[in-house]
Amino acid sequence: FRHARIAGAVATFAAAWWRSQQGLPPVAPSASAGHAADYLRMIFGSPRPAASAAALDAYLVTVADHGMNASTFTARVVASTAADSVSAVVAAICALKGPLHGGAPGPVLDMFEAIGTPDRAEAWIEGELAAGRRIMGMGHRVYRVRDPRAAVFEQQIELLQAAGITSGRLVLARAIEQAADGVLRQRYPNRGLHANVEFYTAVLLDTIGLPRELFTPTFAVGRVTGWLAHIDEQRATGRLLRPSSRYIGPAPDGLAP
C-alpha cells in the first residue's frame, strides 16, 4: 500500500506541476478511474478518449522496468544506504533530467520538426553527423537491434489512428527511421544503431496529446513502479552499494606507475 501511494503520488504531482505551469488549479485524483485514464484527466481537467487512456496504459506498462539503467541504479544506491523509499525515488527522478536517459523524446520531436518532410531526412541526418551531433532516438547502450519497445509503441500509434486520433507524425517518423538506419549503418557498420524506445515514445505521447514538457515526467510515472520493486529488492540484500575505482593518472614522484 505504501508503494502504491508513492506511485500514485508521482502521477498526481506530475499532473499538478503541469497545470501550475499553465496557471491552472490542480485536479484531485479519482479512486474510481484507472491509473492512466486518471493521469490524463488530472492533466487536461476532463476525461480523455478511452483509446488514449489504453495507449498510455500500454506505454506505462512497457517502460515500468528495463534492467539496471541509470535511474534504477540510482534508486538502488540510495536504498542501499537504508534511506526511505521516497528519497530513493526522488534520486531516481533526478537521474532523468539529462537527455540521455528519459529526456530524449522531446528532442526527437524537435528533430521531426527540423526535418519537416520525408525527402529531407537523409540530408539532415548527414548534416548532423558531419557536425558531430547525436541523432536523438537512435542507438541504445544494450540493444544492437531495433528496440523491441519501439514496435509496441508503433502498434499503439496505429491503434490510435484507427480510433481517429492522430498527430500526423507516423509517416514522417517511419521515413526518418529508415533514413537514419541507412546513414548510420553506412557510417558505423559495426555499431548497430537503430531506433530506441524514445523514438516512438515521442510520436505516441504526442498523439495522445501530451506536451513535450510532460514526456520525461510521464516516463517517471511509468518507471516508478520498477524503481519501487528494485528498492525492495536492494533493501532485502541488506548491503551497501559501494563501487570501487582505480586511479590511472600520473604516478607521484619517486613511485612506479
Side-chain angles (χ1 to χ4, degrees), residues 53-111:
L56 181 61
D57 187 57
Y59 169 79
L60 297 177
V61 171
T62 302
V63 302
D65 188 41
H66 197 241
M68 200 63 73
N69 52 82
S71 59
T72 297
F73 181 66
T74 300
R76 291 190 73 129
V77 169
V78 175
S80 78
T81 70
D84 60 274
S85 297
V86 171
S87 297
V89 167
V90 169
I93 290 172
C94 291
L96 294 183
K97 187 171 183 179
L100 299 186
H101 176 55
V108 168
L109 280 192
D110 295 339
M111 175 178 70

